[in-house]
Amino acid sequence: MIFGASNIVSDLFDCALANGLVPARVVLHLPESGGERDMALADRVAALAGLCDPPKIETLDEFRPQAGELYLLGPTTPTRANLAAEIERRFGLRYHTLIHPTAYVSPLARIGQGVFVGANSVVGPGAWLDDHVFVNRGVTIGHDTRIASFSRLQPGANLGGLSRIGGGVTVAIGATLLERLVVGDRAFIGAGAVVTKDVPDDALVLGIPTKFKNLP
């Protein structure tokens, strides 16, 4: 069961099916965004035809927990933390950890509740992913690196070992962080960036070599 719709809901459907799980419900907490290049939730649900029964779509006000359900958060934007807080306030639920069968998570890693690890990603020994970290496809997380809650790593990102990544951080597509770095809370590492030194809170990091800007 997925709380919230976003453009990564198809990844959650895919990973659930790959683990033999059936998406049963999608619970919306906000109206769908209608961006010109977004894909509607109805189209994403229609793509499940022939694979499983379509999940029921309902609102957060309509939702009631049911026995045997596993719960995930759908959004990866900052609304993810707000949604988790609202669900905690209303229902006090625990979340499922969803790992794609083609990913490798070391038995020496620590994984919090609500973590998602996508296809072909690697989580090294001693790594620690706090609650609701989202790891997209083809990501590498080096040994003994800790990532705080609600951070997201986009496809092809590479994080060196022995680093500390703050909460609510975004590491965009194909970015690389060298080892032993500290990245502050809510920092945004741009696509393809190569980060060679520590990043402060709320910084926007772009380019090769990287340059820092303050987020608005």
Side-chain angles (χ1 to χ4, degrees), residues 19-67:
N19 279 280
L21 302 172
V22 176
R25 292 196 279 172
V26 178
V27 177
L28 300 178
H29 68 302
L30 294 171
E32 282 192 75
S33 60
E36 180 181 347
R37 300 187 182 183
D38 288 327
M39 183 175 175
L41 176 61
D43 293 331
R44 297 182 186 280
V45 168
L48 296 171
L51 299 172
C52 65
D53 291 335
K56 180 182 177 182
I57 311 300
E58 59 188 45
T59 67
L60 190 58
D61 289 336
E62 295 171 325
F63 167 74
R64 297 295 181 272
Q66 297 180 12

Side-chain angles (χ1 to χ4, degrees), residues 106-144:
S106 169
L108 300 176
R110 297 175 63 176
I111 307 295
Q113 66 163 323
V115 169
F116 175 88
V117 181
N120 298 314
S121 289
V122 175
V123 180
W128 185 348
L129 278 57
D130 284 347
D131 294 348
H132 302 298
V133 169
F134 186 88
V135 179
N136 215 312
R137 299 175 300 278
V139 172
T140 299
I141 300 170
H143 65 89
D144 304 300

Side-chain angles (χ1 to χ4, degrees), residues 60-202:
L60 190 58
D61 289 336
E62 295 171 325
F63 167 74
R64 297 295 181 272
Q66 297 180 12
E69 291 182 324
L70 303 174
Y71 302 111
L72 286 170
L73 294 178
T76 62
T77 63
T79 62
R80 187 175 176 86
N82 298 336
L83 176 57
E86 179 64 14
I87 293 168
E88 173 63 25
R89 184 185 70 82
R90 294 196 192 194
F91 307 108
L93 301 176
R94 298 285 297 176
Y95 293 89
H96 184 58
T97 295
L98 189 61
I99 299 172
H100 198 280
T102 64
Y104 175 75
V105 177
S106 169
L108 300 176
R110 297 175 63 176
I111 307 295
Q113 66 163 323
V115 169
F116 175 88
V117 181
N120 298 314
S121 289
V122 175
V123 180
W128 185 348
L129 278 57
D130 284 347
D131 294 348
H132 302 298
V133 169
F134 186 88
V135 179
N136 215 312
R137 299 175 300 278
V139 172
T140 299
I141 300 170
H143 65 89
D144 304 300
T145 284
R146 179 164 184 172
I147 304 174
S149 297
F150 299 106
S151 287
R152 55 177 179 172
L153 312 179
Q154 302 289 51
N158 292 287
L159 278 63
L162 294 164
S163 292
R164 296 292 179 268
I165 311 300
V169 169
T170 296
V171 181
I173 294 173
T176 297
L177 281 68
L178 300 190
E179 63 182 9
R180 300 175 188 269
L181 296 182
V182 175
V183 176
D185 294 339
R186 301 171 301 280
F188 191 105
I189 312 299
V194 177
V195 183
T196 60
K197 57 185 178 181
D198 292 350
V199 176
D201 293 352
D202 300 302

